[in-house]
Amino acid sequence: MRSSSTSRRAANDLARGTALGTHGRYEIVEMINRGGTAVVYRGIDREKGGGEIALKCIDVSSDARVVVPLAAVKREIKYATRLMGGNGSNAGVPGVVRLLNVVNHGEDVLVLVFELAKGVDALDYINQHGGRLDEDEARRLFAQLVEAVRAIHDLGFCHRDVKPENAIVCEDGNLRLIDFGLAKGLESAKTRAVGTPDYMSPELLDKLDRDGKARTEKYDAAACDVWSSGVFLFIMLTGRYPFQDPNRPNNVKATLQNIVKGNVAPLRVDVSDDVRDLLRCMLTPDPRKRITLKQVAKHPWLSGSLGRRKKPSLVDRLKQSFTFRRATTSD
């Protein structure tokens, strides 16, 4: 068995030009992002004329620095495949990055091949626009987020880690949701304290029962995605986390206490009454009283905004056409 350090190097330090997959179909170009359980690289697909793809490399060895249960990886693959309708078309889910293939690299690294969403994550996008977005732009992106999350729920599962870092604002201006590593069936979600603390709903933080034992009963996972989507919207409008104590921004305990109590930071005075009402309904601590995504979609603030995605420019369409022809002639 290889040592854990060797295994981690295989996942975390793949050099430019490293070939992955059968007959070296995929080639590493550069690292895009390093997370706790995976590393994502930009790569090219040699069988598709050098088309760019994203390669999510996961160390699944038993002695990895962060052990990733194989069952969790299989869940991510299952749900990502379900979003494609089983035939790779991804029809009806334009706001989600597609899974294209799954390959092994050695014995310990599993590689998920995704289409490459060129752009920046939504948090960087917000920072590039002065630290917050105007209400019209926030509404446009939020409508696309709601559509993507609703599509996920309609297929019977939840994301459980909706946040700006897991959404890409692509070069065409449209938002794409990524990273289904924490996805779970709506009817089987039981594990609490799942996701990123600043975006967790109060019920996810309530992980112990009165006897101090871990809760095992099911919870409304769809309502948790509503909450985190509300946090996402708040950040777009303000550039701040809604539950951070401004005097103690790095105090996680204080943040979690504010989440449980529903102590939301005040919005700017120029924010409309409609979006204030929407945020109040989404960030309601009691999941039974929290607005649903179906109700979010019908809220006056979003009225008429759903289903609107920017169309690619003529130049982008020509580039796509050229890439398709090059890929076709290279097979």
Side-chain angles (χ1 to χ4, degrees), residues 5-142:
S5 60
T6 302
S7 176
R8 286 198 296 274
R9 281 199 300 272
N12 294 349
D13 299 308
L14 295 177
R16 179 184 178 91
T18 299
L20 307 172
T22 306
H23 307 304
R25 174 176 177 175
Y26 306 109
E27 181 181 321
I28 294 288
V29 175
E30 64 179 353
M31 183 185 297
I32 298 175
N33 187 37
R34 184 194 300 270
T37 59
V39 181
V40 181
Y41 298 89
R42 181 169 66 88
I44 58 173
D45 184 346
R46 291 168 172 170
E47 289 188 11
K48 297 296 182 181
E52 292 184 304
I53 36 84
L55 301 163
K56 182 175 182 178
C57 299
I58 306 171
D59 182 356
V60 294
S61 63
S62 60
D63 55 356
R65 179 174 57 86
V66 178
V67 177
V68 182
L70 191 57
V73 181
K74 289 181 177 179
R75 275 202 309 271
E76 179 174 4
I77 295 170
K78 178 179 74 173
Y79 294 131
T81 302
R82 191 178 295 178
L83 283 166
M84 295 164 58
N87 58 11
S89 66
N90 204 21
V93 193
V96 176
V97 172
R98 292 184 303 159
L99 176 67
L100 304 175
N101 200 359
V102 180
V103 299
N104 293 321
H105 181 60
E107 298 178 359
D108 297 331
V109 179
L110 198 61
V111 183
L112 278 57
V113 184
F114 288 93
E115 64 177 338
L116 181 65
K118 292 185 179 180
V120 297
D121 71 47
L123 193 60
D124 284 340
Y125 184 79
I126 294 166
N127 290 330
Q128 290 173 5
H129 288 73
R132 59 183 175 86
L133 304 180
D134 64 63
E135 203 163 313
D136 286 340
E137 179 66 356
R139 177 171 27 238
R140 184 183 71 81
L141 293 177
F142 185 68

Side-chain angles (χ1 to χ4, degrees), residues 47-307:
E47 289 188 11
K48 297 296 182 181
E52 292 184 304
I53 36 84
L55 301 163
K56 182 175 182 178
C57 299
I58 306 171
D59 182 356
V60 294
S61 63
S62 60
D63 55 356
R65 179 174 57 86
V66 178
V67 177
V68 182
L70 191 57
V73 181
K74 289 181 177 179
R75 275 202 309 271
E76 179 174 4
I77 295 170
K78 178 179 74 173
Y79 294 131
T81 302
R82 191 178 295 178
L83 283 166
M84 295 164 58
N87 58 11
S89 66
N90 204 21
V93 193
V96 176
V97 172
R98 292 184 303 159
L99 176 67
L100 304 175
N101 200 359
V102 180
V103 299
N104 293 321
H105 181 60
E107 298 178 359
D108 297 331
V109 179
L110 198 61
V111 183
L112 278 57
V113 184
F114 288 93
E115 64 177 338
L116 181 65
K118 292 185 179 180
V120 297
D121 71 47
L123 193 60
D124 284 340
Y125 184 79
I126 294 166
N127 290 330
Q128 290 173 5
H129 288 73
R132 59 183 175 86
L133 304 180
D134 64 63
E135 203 163 313
D136 286 340
E137 179 66 356
R139 177 171 27 238
R140 184 183 71 81
L141 293 177
F142 185 68
Q144 295 180 5
L145 175 69
V146 169
E147 285 187 303
V149 179
R150 282 189 72 188
I152 293 168
H153 291 180
D154 288 345
L155 289 170
F157 63 100
C158 55
H159 190 281
R160 294 201 300 183
D161 202 19
V162 176
K163 58 182 180 180
E165 297 94 321
N166 281 341
I168 302 296
V169 181
C170 299
E171 292 177 349
D172 63 5
N174 291 316
L175 182 142
R176 310 284 291 279
L177 194 59
I178 63 172
D179 198 344
F180 292 86
L182 294 179
K184 185 71 172 177
L186 290 174
E187 299 302 321
S188 60
K190 296 181 180 180
T191 305
R192 311 270 171 156
V194 174
T196 305
D198 285 313
Y199 300 87
M200 286 184 193
S201 58
E203 61 270 27
L204 283 180
L205 297 174
D206 186 20
K207 58 183 180 179
L208 300 178
D209 61 21
R210 293 180 179 179
D211 297 324
K213 297 180 180 179
R215 291 184 179 275
T216 57
E217 70 270 22
K218 292 190 296 184
Y219 55 84
D220 187 346
C224 297
D225 280 351
V226 171
W227 176 279
S228 55
S229 298
V231 176
F232 193 133
L233 175 58
F234 189 99
I235 292 171
M236 284 198 289
L237 292 168
T238 67
R240 296 181 288 110
Y241 291 97
F243 300 102
Q244 272 189 350
D245 186 330
N247 299 317
R248 297 178 294 170
N250 297 320
N251 189 318
V252 176
K253 184 177 180 180
T255 297
L256 299 184
Q257 288 175 343
N258 283 334
I259 290 174
V260 172
K261 296 176 181 178
N263 293 336
V264 183
L267 289 163
R268 303 191 325 271
V269 294
D270 60 337
V271 172
S272 71
D273 289 340
D274 278 345
V275 77
R276 288 176 187 274
D277 179 70
L278 177 58
L279 283 168
R280 178 185 59 79
C281 294
M282 296 184 75
L283 299 179
T284 296
D286 187 342
R288 296 168 298 180
K289 299 178 181 179
R290 195 174 303 150
I291 194 173
T292 66
L293 274 184
K294 184 177 181 180
Q295 293 169 327
V296 169
K298 294 181 179 180
H299 192 275
W301 188 71
L302 273 184
S303 178
S305 297
L306 296 180

